[in-house]
Amino acid sequence: MELFHASKGALAHADIEKNSSAAFDRVTIYRTLQTFVEKGIVHTIPTADNSVLYALCKDECKAGHHHDNHVHFICDICGTTYCLDNVSIPPVSLPDGFIKKQADVVVSGICKNCR
Ligand SMILES: [Zn+2]
Ligand SMILES: [Zn+2]
Ligand SMILES: [Zn+2]
């Protein structure tokens, strides 16, 4: 949890492993992250290379029920992934018979710290 609060952007599994104190092995970290996701503490962000990032959720998220319909931004220069909490994912209308479960919008570009 401290790692999430200390980081300005999202964390990858490897970042967490690298930064956590020795007592945690890979599996423990993975399980902990899964628990955090289930409890509505963190949400996952898909990336172009198929790895998954984790970021802290806002207060609205509850166990088993996330409300993270915000856009994510990946900076091409520093590689930081940001949660753009104030930018919501535009509604997508699906054809009849399709049920939307989750939509992920990831925008890449240059962040304000790298301009
Ligand atoms: Zn959430
Ligand atoms: Zn940047
Ligand atoms: Zn987010």
Side-chain angles (χ1 to χ4, degrees):
M1 280 313 291
E2 280 168 35
L3 283 174
F4 278 108
H5 286 295
S7 112
K8 61 184 160 68
L11 293 171
H13 191 284
D15 298 326
I16 297 164
E17 213 170 310
K18 199 168 56 199
N19 289 305
S20 49
S21 43
F24 300 107
D25 62 26
R26 189 177 279 267
V27 177
T28 310
I29 294 167
Y30 182 77
R31 289 219 190 98
T32 308
L33 287 169
Q34 289 303 110
T35 311
F36 283 179
V37 171
E38 281 159 24
K39 288 191 170 169
I41 298 167
V42 300
H43 58 278
T44 54
I45 305 163
T47 64
D49 64 1
N50 275 327
S51 64
V52 175
L53 295 171
Y54 298 86
L56 275 183
C57 288
K58 297 284 142 186
D59 296 339
E60 308 92 81
C61 288
K62 303 270 185 307
H65 202 85
H66 284 275
H67 294 276
D68 305 293
N69 68 328
H70 53 263
V71 170
H72 290 106
F73 185 93
I74 299 183
C75 176
D76 288 338
I77 295 175
C78 65
T80 304
T81 302
Y82 298 86
C83 286
L84 303 181
D85 296 308
N86 298 322
V87 185
S88 25
I89 294 173
V92 180
S93 40
L94 296 173
D96 279 351
F98 290 81
I99 296 166
K100 179 183 146 187
K101 204 173 152 209
Q102 201 196 331
D104 292 303
V105 175
V106 180
V107 178
S108 64
I110 300 168
C111 79
K112 63 177 194 287
N113 297 323
C114 295
R115 282 177 54 216

